[in-house]
Amino acid sequence: MTDGTGAKTGSGAGGSRGGGVALHSAGTPFVVEIAMRRSLLLSALLLALPALAHAQDGQRPEVTAAAQRLQAKVVEWRRDFHQHPELSNREERTSAEVAKRLRAMGLKPKTGIAHHGVVAIIEGGKPGPKIALRADMDALPVTEQTGLPFESKATAQYRGQTVGVMHACGHDAHTATLLGVAEALVAMKKDLPGQVMLIFQPSEEGAPPPEEGGAALMLKEGLFADFKPEAVFGLHVFSSVQAGQIAVRGGPLMAASDRFGIKVIGRQTHGSAPWNGVDPIVATADLVGTAQTIVSRRANLSKQPAVLTFGAINGGIRYNIIPDEVEMVGTIRTFDEGMRQQIFADLRNVAEHTAAAHGAKAVTEIYEADGNPATVNNPALTAKMLPSLQAVVGKDNVYEPPLQMGAEDFSLYAKEVPGMFFFVGSTSVGIDPATAPANHSPKFLLDEKALDVGLRALLQVSLDYLHGAGTPAG
């Protein structure tokens, strides 16, 4: 209140106070006392307007204070992580930095979980629920093209090639945001009911085969064995959502993701005499085209959407030699388990019989154990916590997004306990989210307003749940 309103109330209070002394001695204390009390009351009301506004919209004053106090620090952390990205199962520096910052807060983090995962428990000073908050830490084999002053110049080895490494999906923002939430919760832990598990997870993007990693390995190594939360919360910055907005929906949110590989085996021969061999390249081309009918003609898309995508094809090394074999890899995205299994069966059938029609053989592998189930938000929990998100950005800035064909291994935590996962807008106002560079793009550009919104949202959700706004969902 340092603008005109503050100067005006200060002047008014001071004038009444000065007049009060003089008139009091002149023998008219009652009138002066009333005037002075009114002036002081007006000053108090004006000073309280920001707090009243937050009380009206539901945002907790401690959330507002923490966000203001930590904003610069969270931005600094995010930029540091952004400049030093690391691939899945290689997050050594990131893990060490997270653990160091948690120790500086007075916590005792456990490290080395699922290779480079970090977990810490905040013990509240009062009895209450147990919740878990999750952030992912890994980056992608993408060469950054944003031109930021803190642009990543990192490189690494990926599938035998030297590649650029970039936080093209925003996990740097997730890690920095959760560190900010942790510091805010630690500062108030004396009055905090319950306990909060902080999960800093490696390898959300998927461990390089044949390694294990991510949420699956954290759970396999006993993440929830001794600390079983009532609820787990997570967020993701999202390019298709405008900065300042939050998108969330109860029930299915993101698709199940499964990886497949197909090897088409032919017989090598000279390119000038294809009749002397079996051409796996032609068989592969036919197979890719025929496989498109699995979704377009065999899957009941009126039930749920589905996607089958080939991501890479490798075969041959010389222009005039027909190779022995061609290898393909790809992904399947589904929401319905019945459709998922049917697509698996159809893909094997198409691969086998299309290859056979060319005199070749196809071997299909679907890596179900490495896949992620659909991310499904617990409907009751999401409904309970929706007002918490609305309190942070306003009711008009929280909306229900369409189903997302992208996948998230947060889904594995949400299969163990009720979960809620939400999107925080990362595309600046003035840029159309529909055309902005998407997550995983070398030009993915995060509006750092997302850090402030993410911090406020995750902190508000946590405090509201711990203080009783949320109840365990079935």
Side-chain angles (χ1 to χ4, degrees):
M1 300 296 291
T2 57
D3 295 332
T5 305
K8 184 177 180 181
T9 54
S11 174
S16 297
R17 200 176 296 118
V21 173
L23 292 173
H24 191 281
S25 60
T28 56
F30 181 73
V31 174
V32 175
E33 186 72 18
I34 292 295
M36 189 165 71
R37 285 183 180 179
R38 284 177 176 172
S39 180
L40 291 173
L41 178 61
L42 177 61
S43 297
L45 286 171
L46 288 171
L47 289 170
L49 281 176
L52 288 172
H54 286 307
Q56 187 177 20
D57 67 20
Q59 181 165 290
R60 291 175 171 270
E62 61 267 43
V63 170
T64 304
Q68 291 172 347
R69 185 177 74 253
L70 293 167
Q71 184 177 26
K73 187 179 287 189
V74 172
V75 169
E76 179 186 348
W77 287 339
R78 180 258 165 170
R79 293 183 179 184
D80 176 66
F81 293 134
H82 190 88
Q83 265 192 312
H84 302 94
E86 296 168 300
L87 295 177
S88 301
N89 275 2
R90 307 292 184 269
E91 309 91 340
E92 295 180 18
R93 179 190 183 275
T94 307
S95 175
E97 289 294 317
V98 166
K100 180 178 75 175
R101 286 168 169 77
L102 293 175
R103 291 188 191 102
M105 298 175 199
L107 298 174
K108 298 177 180 179
K110 294 182 179 179
T111 61
I113 304 169
H115 302 300
H116 301 298
V118 182
V119 176
I121 306 295
I122 299 174
E123 301 278 355
K126 298 179 180 179
K130 292 180 178 179
I131 63 171
L133 309 177
R134 176 270 204 167
D136 36 13
M137 303 187 294
D138 54 329
L140 288 159
V142 173
T143 301
E144 185 164 355
Q145 299 175 21
T146 61
L148 291 168
F150 50 92
E151 180 180 79
S152 167
K153 305 297 183 185
T155 60
Q157 290 295 307
Y158 183 75
R159 299 188 68 181
Q161 300 181 43
T162 300
V163 296
V165 184
M166 176 192 175
H167 271 296
C169 202
H171 297 185
D172 52 337
H174 306 165
T175 302
T177 296
L178 186 53
L179 282 171
V181 172
E183 185 159 323
L185 291 172
V186 167
M188 60 182 80
K189 70 176 184 177
K190 179 181 176 182
D191 299 315
L192 195 69
Q195 300 167 289
V196 180
M197 171 184 276
L198 308 169
I199 305 169
F200 292 89
Q201 180 203 305
S203 192
E204 188 281 326
E205 298 291 354
E211 298 176 18
E212 293 182 274
L217 188 55
M218 293 195 88
L219 290 166
K220 182 179 178 180
E221 293 185 1
L223 178 67
F224 290 164
D226 298 322
F227 185 104
K228 188 71 174 283
E230 292 181 6
V232 59
F233 300 102
L235 59 78
H236 204 301
V237 294
F238 221 52
S239 69
S240 62
V241 181
Q242 203 87 61
Q245 296 186 325
I246 292 173
V248 67
R249 62 182 293 150
L253 175 66
M254 302 183 77
S257 171
D258 291 286
R259 178 173 61 91
F260 68 85
I262 301 175
K263 181 182 291 186
V264 178
I265 304 167
R267 188 171 71 252
Q268 183 171 314
T269 187
H270 197 284
S272 65
W275 51 84
N276 288 331
V278 175
D279 193 337
I281 292 178
V282 173
T284 295
D286 196 3
L287 192 162
V288 171
T290 304
Q292 304 312 304
T293 65
I294 294 173
V295 169
S296 68
R297 290 294 179 269
R298 306 182 192 205
N300 182 1
L301 299 182
S302 67
K303 189 174 184 179
Q304 291 282 10
V307 168
L308 189 155
T309 294
F310 290 89
I313 302 176
N314 293 290
I317 56 172
R318 185 174 166 82
Y319 76 98
N320 63 347
I321 298 176
I322 293 173
D324 271 329
E325 61 186 42
V326 173
E327 293 189 48
M328 297 171 280
V329 292
T331 185
I332 297 166
R333 305 299 171 101
T334 54
F335 287 92
D336 179 82
E337 182 61 25
M339 290 175 69
R340 176 175 177 253
Q341 293 300 326
Q342 185 60 52
I343 289 172
F344 291 171
D346 286 342
L347 181 59
R348 290 189 177 98
N349 184 50
V350 164
E352 178 185 347
H353 289 91
T354 303
H358 290 268
K361 178 182 178 182
V363 178
T364 303
E365 294 285 349
I366 298 174
Y367 304 97
E368 293 185 57
D370 298 340
N372 296 320
T375 301
V376 180
N377 281 338
N378 182 277
L381 178 65
T382 305
K384 284 279 188 183
M385 306 317 299
L386 182 62
S388 301
L389 300 178
Q390 293 171 337
V392 170
V393 293
K395 190 173 183 179
D396 292 341
N397 286 316
V398 180
Y399 68 94
E400 182 176 287
L403 293 172
Q404 301 296 313
M405 301 312 295
E408 246 288 347
D409 72 358
F410 179 88
S411 58
L412 295 168
Y413 304 123
K415 287 192 73 174
E416 296 290 322
V417 298
M420 185 182 79
F421 193 72
F422 57 93
F423 300 134
V424 174
S426 66
T427 294
S428 299
V429 174
I431 300 174
D432 184 357
T435 59
N439 295 62
H440 289 215
S441 163
K443 296 183 179 180
F444 172 71
L445 193 61
L446 177 89
D447 185 330
E448 289 182 329
K449 183 177 182 179
L451 300 172
D452 178 64
V453 173
L455 172 64
R456 292 171 187 262
L458 199 55
L459 185 56
Q460 179 88 15
V461 164
S462 301
L463 292 175
D464 283 352
Y465 190 97
L466 292 170
H467 284 281
T471 55

